[in-house]
Amino acid sequence: MPERKVTVASRVGLHARPAAIFAEAAAEQPVEVTIAMDGAPEDEAMDASSILSLMSLGASHGDVVVLRADGAGADQALDALVKVLETDHDAE
Amino acid sequence: MQKFSGVGVSPGRVLGTVRQMPAPVTEPQAGDQRPADSTAEQEADRLRSASKSVQAQLKARSDAAAKAGNDEAKAVLEATALMAADPMLIKSAVKLIEKGISAERAVWEAGGTVAETLKGLGGYMAERSQDVLDVRSRIVAELRGMPAPGIPASETPFILAGIDLAPADTATLDPALVIGLATSEGGPQSHTAILARALGLPAVVAAPGVEHLQDGVEVFLDGAAGVVVTEPGDEERRLAQTWKEKAGALPAFDGHGQLGDGHRIPLLANIGGASDAVVAAEAGAEGVGLMRTEFCFLDRDTEPTVEEQVAKYQPAFEAFAGKKMVVRTLDAGADKPLPFLTDASEPNPALGVRGYRTRRTDPSVIDRQIQAIGVAAAAAEKNGKGADVWVMAPMIATAEETKEFVGLCREAGIKSAGVMIEVPSAALTAKSILSIADFASLGTNDLTQYAMAADRQLGSLAALNDPWQPAVLQLVAATVLGARAASDDVAKPVGVCGESAADPALAVVLAGIGVSTLSMTSRALPAVSAVLRSVTLAQAQELAQLALGALSAGEARAAVRAKLPVLEELGL
């Protein structure tokens, strides 16, 4: 299954506003995308379009997370979401 | 006609129809089963459609906040709208529905589990757990066909009635729609009362019974006398009409606070940020007697840097170029927790590590803030817009703490360093404290709470938690006397920046006791100024003696008001 490892760029981590932006972007994708902390078992991965899952993940600035998706358009979806995570939304 | 008596906390007489604050959503019973005639699929659909409509309501409020230019509220509402239809929340609730549980109970449990997880993460996430619980309540209310919790939406103005307002409700109150407030709980210094004074809304608190008034009932509310009556007659209509004319006719404050004989009592403003500073300057305030700095720190999970703080302080200083600006250092803890500084698990937060005391557990935050204030003051000066910046620490209890704080300020190049008098021990040792500090400012809200040992949110203790309590006034007098005893020549300034300064009658008493300045919400300046000008210093001193010698807060207030006919004339 295609996956990407990304470092969380947001200074406050995957909290509030950055989490909302990311969840909305994930919901717009044609495929289901999951998110997990790097090194966590794959079956613990959570729905990336859920703001509550993202918040419970508790990823801080500099943490590495793994995004996974399957099916048609999975690669494009992952690339789009990597961009969102690599942006520091608080710096905008 | 029904009459409800309580405590008047913000003057004004209005007529209006009642809208009740909806009762908090109650917990659906554990194990509550879905109706026998519905399938799991139907019940899940019911939940999905309720969650979608809550999401739409929150989204609409977020759009409205964006339109009003309130970006902070917009961001929070947008995130809660997402939570309302969160796929993980719905999925775990549907699992419970499949086991036979009702939609109401299922979303209640699923939301509770998420909130617990967030709470366990601590800090910022723990605070957000409240948002999840709010969303959960909204969905349950929607499923039950009950009104959404929070201030009711309405097209026409109304008098808001209820048990008490929470800080979150006060943030969403629209003063164009709410023309008065009546609550059964809360005291003179509760959130409801503070908000009412800041918005100039007539308000009565601690009036049992008002929480049961029917929606749509017409009432007359008198925020000075502290009464609400139903079926208003001609007399009430006349009083409301007179107030409407008089209150509008009160002259704007001319920027010169004084008694009738010319004795000067500069009137200053309490502000919470640079935008308030602009409003206060326009309202004629002679300076700022209390600049709260929490706005820089709240809603953050990391400490702002010195540069970030300077960028926020400097514009506020420049709005009062050439005038006095008293800055209070961070007052975190108790009802203002900060994830990176205070411990939310203290058993008794009002008596815990709050205000200046946070320096005992983490000195760096306060030290950096003092540094930032010094830098911002110097930068404003360099721009040719320097204010006369004074800095004070909240929750000082001893002369020893005073000495430490004054030392820190001197190192940062701050010329005037003082303390808040909020703890009775500070009032009682005012002579020692003021032989070290350059000034003192009485925070009467906390001083009252600590002197009377009465929580400010409790309606049942409203009569105790009242700044008119003679014991509180005695502590004010002790501070003034201490300041005089600490100095051989001119006594160091003692101001009041608590809510009591905004009560025109109490302002007269404080002036009579000998405080040198009064600082209040900008909106109270015209009324306080008008009433101060109706008395001479000798009369104010006489009224102060009456209040100091009274047997109760109610007696003190009544005795002083009876000698100030101007209050009735102005409808205050």
Side-chain angles (χ1 to χ4, degrees), chain A residues 11-12 14-17 19-21 23-24 32 46-47 49-58, chain B residues 59 75 78-80 82-83 86-89 91 114 117-118 121 124-125 128-129 132 301-302 308:
Chain A
R11 248 182 302 161
V12 297
L14 215 41
H15 291 183
R17 190 157 159 271
I21 293 169
E24 277 193 309
E32 272 192 29
M46 296 194 268
D47 186 344
S49 69
S50 157
I51 186 172
L52 293 174
S53 297
L54 295 174
M55 288 166 68
S56 336
L57 190 67
Chain B
K59 187 78 195 24
E78 216 166 42
T80 35
L82 274 178
M83 289 178 193
D86 189 88
M88 186 259 274
L89 177 70
K91 211 182 268 176
V114 177
T117 311
L118 294 181
L121 291 172
Y124 176 83
M125 289 305 173
R128 295 276 78 80
S129 67
V132 180
D301 47 6
T302 53
E308 284 174 295

Side-chain angles (χ1 to χ4, degrees), chain B residues 3 54 82 91 134 149 173 190 210 267 286 346 358 421 458 490:
Chain B
K3 182 174 173 182
V54 169
L82 274 178
K91 211 182 268 176
D134 176 58
L173 190 147
S190 62
V210 296
L267 300 184
E286 296 179 65
E346 281 177 353
T358 59
I421 306 284
L458 287 179
V490 184

Side-chain angles (χ1 to χ4, degrees), chain B residues 119-447:
Chain B
K119 226 174 171 178
L121 291 172
Y124 176 83
M125 289 305 173
E127 285 173 46
R128 295 276 78 80
S129 67
Q130 211 47 50
D131 298 347
V132 180
L133 296 179
D134 176 58
V135 161
R136 165 177 94 164
S137 295
R138 285 174 181 278
I139 298 176
V140 171
E142 181 72 25
L143 283 166
R144 287 176 176 161
M146 310 264 286
I151 292 171
S154 168
E155 302 273 302
T156 51
F158 58 93
I159 291 177
L160 183 63
I163 297 169
D164 198 5
L165 298 186
D169 302 323
T170 59
T172 56
L173 190 147
D174 177 359
L177 279 176
V178 179
I179 56 169
L181 295 169
T183 62
S184 59
E185 282 284 329
Q189 335 221 36
S190 62
H191 294 294
T192 306
I194 291 172
L195 175 85
R197 282 188 290 259
L199 296 176
L201 285 180
V204 175
V205 303
V210 296
E211 79 278 29
H212 299 307
L213 284 165
Q214 293 291 317
D215 273 359
V217 164
E218 191 185 30
V219 296
F220 168 75
L221 181 152
D222 186 333
V227 292
V228 177
V229 296
T230 60
E231 294 167 52
D234 290 344
E235 174 63 7
E236 282 82 19
R237 280 173 212 287
R238 191 188 60 76
L239 287 170
Q241 188 56 35
T242 312
W243 185 73
K244 209 172 180 180
E245 288 157 11
K246 286 277 167 55
L250 205 59
F253 176 50
D254 62 5
H256 201 75
Q258 60 178 25
L259 300 182
D261 56 6
H263 177 80
R264 281 278 281 145
I265 304 275
L267 300 184
L268 314 170
N270 293 349
I271 66 169
S275 58
D276 280 1
V278 175
V279 173
E282 282 168 2
E286 296 179 65
V288 169
L290 168 64
M291 173 172 150
R292 303 181 182 91
T293 53
E294 290 73 42
F295 74 98
C296 248
F297 294 83
L298 293 175
D299 294 321
R300 295 189 54 123
D301 47 6
T302 53
E303 182 197 344
T305 63
V306 169
E307 293 72 37
E308 284 174 295
Q309 293 185 50
V310 171
K312 291 196 169 172
Y313 302 147
Q314 197 183 332
F317 294 173
E318 292 183 354
F320 276 92
K323 291 184 177 167
K324 177 165 143 180
M325 170 71 98
V326 185
V327 184
R328 179 179 71 187
T329 57
L330 187 56
D331 190 17
D335 57 347
K336 286 169 283 192
L338 276 187
F340 55 89
L341 188 59
T342 59
D343 174 7
S345 67
E346 281 177 353
N348 205 345
L351 303 183
V353 179
R354 55 170 300 205
Y356 184 70
R357 299 171 174 193
T358 59
R359 200 173 179 279
R360 292 169 185 258
T361 51
D362 182 357
S364 64
V365 176
I366 298 280
D367 292 0
R368 269 191 290 273
Q369 187 188 23
I370 294 172
Q371 188 196 338
I373 296 168
V375 172
E381 189 88 52
K382 213 173 159 193
N383 264 354
K385 294 180 190 166
D388 180 15
V389 176
W390 297 21
V391 182
M392 63 182 180
M395 285 298 288
I396 290 287
T398 67
E400 192 182 21
E401 287 172 339
T402 307
K403 197 171 169 193
E404 182 185 76
F405 178 72
V406 170
L408 292 169
C409 288
R410 298 276 184 264
E411 274 171 38
I414 290 160
K415 290 179 208 102
S416 193
V419 300
M420 295 269 307
I421 306 284
E422 305 174 278
V423 183
S425 65
L428 296 171
T429 55
K431 184 185 168 193
S432 312
I433 286 178
L434 279 154
S435 62
I436 303 162
D438 299 317
F439 68 98
S441 181
L442 288 142
T444 45
N445 307 1
D446 274 324
L447 186 61

